Amino acid sequence: MCGIVGAVAQKDVTPVLLDGLQRLEYRGYDSAGLIVQAADGRQQRARQVGKVAALAQYLATQPVSGTTGIAHTRWATHGKPAEYNAHPHISDPVAVVHNGIIENHHELRQELETQGYQFASDTDTEVIAHLVASLLTEDVSLLAAVQQATERLVGAYALAIIAARAPGEMIVVRVGSPLVIGIGAEGHFVASDVSALLPVTQQFIHLEEGDIAQITRTQVQVLGAQGQPVARTVHTSALNADRVEKAGYDYYMQKEIFEQPAVVAETLEGRIHQDRLLEESFGCEIKSLLDQTDVIHIVACGTSYHAGLIAKYWLEAIGISCQVEIASEYRYRPVVVPDKALFLTISQSGETADTLAALRTAKQQRYLGSIVVCNVPESSLVRESDAVLMTRAGPEIGVASTKAFSTQLVVLRLLTLSLARRRGMDAAQEQQHVAALRALPRQIEMVLQQDAQIAALAADFAVARSVLFLGRGPFYPAMMEAALKLKELSYIHAEAYPAGELKHGPLALVDEQMRIICAVPDNPVADKVLSNLQEVRARDGRVCVLHDATVAPELDEYAACVMPVADADLSLIVYSVALQLLAYHVAVIKGTNVDQPRNLAKSVTVE
């Protein structure tokens, strides 16, 4: 949600700011703007509603230039999408961009209005600009003014601030929202995400909670939450600019769907060998935690929550009690933490605000410790958890998660096998499970080869008003994820339901207009799912079935998509890839924004 880019350099930073904003488009936004400052402090601002392309087009006719600048893509929270609400916000001589929410903005606004400050926007951000300006005097530096201002702010925020009277200087703050500093040869940079700065640097400082940094072209000084100078490690990112390009595909999401065989193989690399799981690859911290674990509490949001629900089936099948919580609910109710309980978070970005807050709450509880399953090694959840299991999916730009989901499930499966060892899994069983994991990339490739067939099925779903997804056992949360994908991408109402619950309500919705998608894998409840389908067909519901070829050949009459035969537990990953393709093709047919669905953001960094 929202995106910040900033730069202090020897040359004009406008191209860097624009390119950085374009690389942050996946986060979701409704307007974009920037302000640049010349060496003499003269400032030029440009803002546009809509996409970064509109801002770039405006700047092509009304160019600006400067050696210091800040830029922003805004996600509307306070005030509708409009140019006057777009960032940066100015209170002469101060300019501010802001991610997050200022909870006490109303009280501060009233106070500042009594001092004579006039507000030109409906945002909480403008309060910050006026507050810093009110504190900035000839005797108070920009850094000191920002420090005093942040003492008055309540909420979660990342800030980048410049002022005309302090040319060549930028102050940045991180409280609850992520921010990184890029170290370059010809200047220094800031951004919400390292991907925004990869063309100019791969050296990054990840600010910690409460940090304030003073940045010039030649120097970065970081102050901790108590105002004391602190040393923050410079990390070299393993990412590069090429990995966040479309590489010939029409959409990032399409590319990311087709990357899944490779990223699943990458996630397994070094973690299995021949016929066995290499638990040593997890690290000694995880081994120690798993040795003590009898209970797991999983906390996540959205797609990651669905991955957690699937893992619950796997974990409880080996005797591990598992509770799965939506992160936004976890910290607002009393939680009973039993003995020998492990706290496990799942997040693609590692910056999900609700999940991060849940982790911080859990640290006050009596858990054995915390493990995060994550895709971004430099993220806040990774840094604040006791141990980490990386998914190795690589950059995921499409807002609707695909390869991150698949790799999360692979990691959770490895974790389950590690715990199963401690509960009596013998070498023959381990060999069987490892062989199934080895086969998974090829099985995903076989699904991707059915792309044209799935695209043909999509035409019927593109005209639907509502779609019902049915599954049983762990396929129920897998179908929850499939329904989420269709909703996100096509704006068609979709919901998942346990197939056995049809008679308890959803059957009332079924008629000739209703589309139904059902997963029928080769498992012990396949016959029961077939009976559920007969109930739907008897009410004229239009059914599409995904099934293993071994289940029932007569299912082909349901416009079926035949899945490769896979391990009973891992087949839901294979099915999920097919349903990602279906949602993608429906969105293409409907002409929606595949990579940036309306009203959604990739990284939800506010509560």
Side-chain angles (χ1 to χ4, degrees):
M1 279 184 156
C2 300
I4 287 174
V5 184
V8 184
Q10 289 178 315
K11 58 185 180 181
D12 180 24
V13 298
T14 306
V16 174
L17 300 180
L18 266 179
D19 182 71
L21 291 184
Q22 290 169 337
R23 292 174 181 274
L24 292 178
E25 285 189 297
Y26 70 92
R27 297 172 69 92
Y29 68 103
D30 50 56
S31 58
L34 58 79
I35 188 167
V36 292
Q37 184 171 282
D40 60 4
R42 180 176 53 87
Q43 295 178 340
Q44 297 172 284
R45 178 174 63 167
R47 301 181 294 176
Q48 291 288 305
V49 174
K51 298 299 181 184
V52 175
L55 178 63
Q57 186 175 8
Y58 173 82
L59 290 172
T61 59
Q62 303 288 328
V64 301
S65 64
T67 53
T68 301
I70 51 178
H72 192 265
T73 50
R74 176 180 183 258
W75 174 277
T77 54
H78 298 78
K80 66 181 182 181
E83 184 175 334
Y84 63 84
N85 283 326
H87 297 215
H89 288 285
I90 294 175
S91 179
D92 188 43
V94 173
V96 178
V97 292
H98 161 225
N99 289 353
I101 292 176
I102 305 302
E103 296 176 11
N104 62 335
H105 72 98
H106 182 68
E107 299 83 37
L108 291 171
R109 187 183 187 109
Q110 289 181 321
E111 176 186 323
L112 289 160
E113 284 176 335
T114 63
Q115 295 178 26
Y117 286 93
Q118 296 182 346
F119 285 77
S121 76
D122 303 320
T123 69
D124 54 342
T125 303
E126 193 178 1
V127 166
I128 304 168
H130 288 317
L131 182 59
V132 174
S134 72
L135 297 167
L136 186 62
T137 67
E138 290 185 3
D139 298 323
V140 177
S141 68
L142 179 59
L143 174 61
V146 173
Q147 287 176 305
Q148 293 174 35
T150 55
E151 292 173 0
R152 308 252 350 247
L153 301 179
V154 177
Y157 50 87
L159 308 175
I161 301 173
I162 60 175
R165 55 165 287 189
E169 177 183 353
M170 181 189 308
I171 308 298
V172 298
V173 186
R174 184 253 163 98
V175 178
S177 289
L179 205 60
V180 300
I181 299 173
I183 307 300
E186 297 183 351
H188 294 126
F189 311 89
V190 299
S192 310
D193 188 323
V194 297
S195 63
L197 301 178
L198 290 174
V200 291
T201 184
Q202 288 186 284
Q203 305 294 309
F204 295 97
I205 294 172
H206 296 268
L207 294 180
E208 298 187 7
E209 187 69 8
D211 281 355
I212 297 179
Q214 181 185 45
I215 301 171
T216 66
R217 182 179 64 80
T218 59
Q219 187 176 16
V220 174
Q221 179 185 19
V222 182
L223 306 178
Q226 307 305 316
Q228 77 285 9
V230 292
R232 298 289 183 233
T233 304
V234 178
H235 298 274
T236 300
S237 176
L239 301 178
N240 59 65
D242 293 340
R243 294 194 69 184
V244 293
E245 301 295 345
K246 291 179 184 174
Y249 288 91
D250 293 330
Y251 299 94
Y252 284 112
M253 182 185 177
Q254 181 189 26
K255 170 177 174 275
E256 288 154 10
I257 290 173
F258 278 84
E259 285 178 336
Q260 286 175 104
V263 297
V264 165
E266 174 67 19
T267 299
L268 291 170
E269 180 69 29
R271 290 167 168 169
I272 57 175
H273 179 65
Q274 294 181 345
D275 300 330
R276 60 186 294 270
L277 168 71
L278 297 178
E279 188 179 302
E280 298 83 358
S281 65
F282 293 174
C284 58
E285 299 92 345
I286 291 181
K287 182 181 184 303
S288 176
L289 288 171
L290 298 186
D291 285 342
Q292 305 170 67
T293 297
D294 284 339
V295 178
I296 293 183
H297 285 184
I298 298 176
V299 175
C301 298
T303 289
S304 298
Y305 171 68
H306 297 154
L309 290 173
I310 292 168
K312 175 182 171 71
Y313 284 88
W314 295 343
L315 290 164
E316 296 207 329
I318 64 169
I320 296 288
S321 175
C322 183
Q323 176 178 308
V324 186
E325 295 270 356
I326 294 174
S328 57
E329 297 292 331
Y330 173 82
R331 63 194 176 106
Y332 292 110
R333 69 171 187 83
V335 176
V336 176
V337 181
D339 293 336
K340 299 183 178 180
L342 176 68
F343 190 79
L344 177 68
T345 58
I346 310 171
S347 172
Q348 187 283 135
S349 68
E351 302 293 352
T352 310
D354 288 316
T355 308
L356 190 56
L359 172 63
R360 291 168 180 167
T361 300
K363 286 187 172 184
Q364 310 305 314
Q365 307 282 358
R366 53 193 295 264
Y367 290 102
L368 293 170
S370 59
I371 297 177
V372 61
V373 175
C374 188
N375 189 42
V376 181
E378 302 95 349
S379 62
S380 298
L381 276 166
V382 167
R383 296 199 306 273
E384 296 189 27
S385 296
D386 295 324
V388 180
L389 283 170
M390 299 306 302
T391 58
R392 304 176 185 169
E396 188 178 66
I397 305 302
V399 168
S401 182
T402 53
K403 62 178 180 174
F405 178 67
S406 299
T407 53
Q408 285 171 355
L409 290 174
V410 169
V411 167
L412 291 166
R413 187 64 181 164
L414 292 169
L415 184 68
T416 301
L417 296 182
S418 185
L419 287 163
R421 271 185 176 175
R422 292 162 167 80
R423 279 151 184 78
M425 179 178 69
D426 61 31
Q429 291 171 316
E430 181 173 349
Q431 179 179 353
Q432 180 181 352
H433 290 305
V434 170
L437 285 166
R438 285 190 181 282
L440 186 57
R442 174 57 185 155
Q443 288 163 345
I444 295 174
E445 286 179 356
M446 293 169 66
V447 172
L448 295 173
Q449 289 169 9
Q450 299 186 57
D451 184 44
Q453 180 181 342
I454 295 170
L457 292 175
D460 186 52
F461 286 88
V463 296
R465 291 196 303 271
S466 186
V467 179
L468 184 64
F469 289 78
L470 300 176
R472 297 191 74 140
F475 276 82
Y476 168 45
M479 298 305 266
M480 292 171 67
E481 171 61 15
L484 176 62
K485 286 290 143 307
L486 190 64
K487 280 184 281 195
E488 287 177 317
L489 294 171
S490 69
Y491 319 146
I492 295 171
H493 171 260
E495 69 172 304
Y497 225 79
E501 288 288 290
L502 270 173
K503 290 186 288 291
H504 296 277
L507 208 55
L509 297 173
V510 176
D511 59 19
E512 65 278 0
Q513 300 299 317
M514 172 70 78
R515 271 63 166 182
I516 297 97
I517 297 180
C518 189
V520 190
D522 186 7
N523 64 21
V525 296
D527 289 341
K528 295 185 182 299
V529 177
L530 292 174
S531 298
N532 301 140
L533 283 181
Q534 294 301 329
E535 295 170 346
V536 172
R537 286 297 294 251
R539 277 84 180 169
D540 297 322
R542 300 175 66 171
V543 180
C544 175
V545 174
L546 283 71
H547 69 95
D548 288 358
T550 55
V551 177
E554 63 269 22
L555 285 176
D556 288 343
E557 69 178 278
Y558 293 100
C561 184
V562 180
M563 298 290 100
V565 178
D567 173 84
D569 288 319
L570 297 179
S571 61
L572 55 83
I573 300 177
V574 178
Y575 281 60
S576 294
V577 172
L579 293 169
Q580 291 168 2
L581 277 175
L582 180 66
Y584 164 76
H585 285 297
V586 171
V588 170
I589 292 168
K590 287 179 65 68
T592 60
N593 191 328
V594 173
D595 288 329
Q596 299 166 37
R598 69 187 183 198
N599 304 330
L600 299 180
K602 181 66 175 175
S603 181
V604 183
T605 56
V606 296
E607 184 177 5

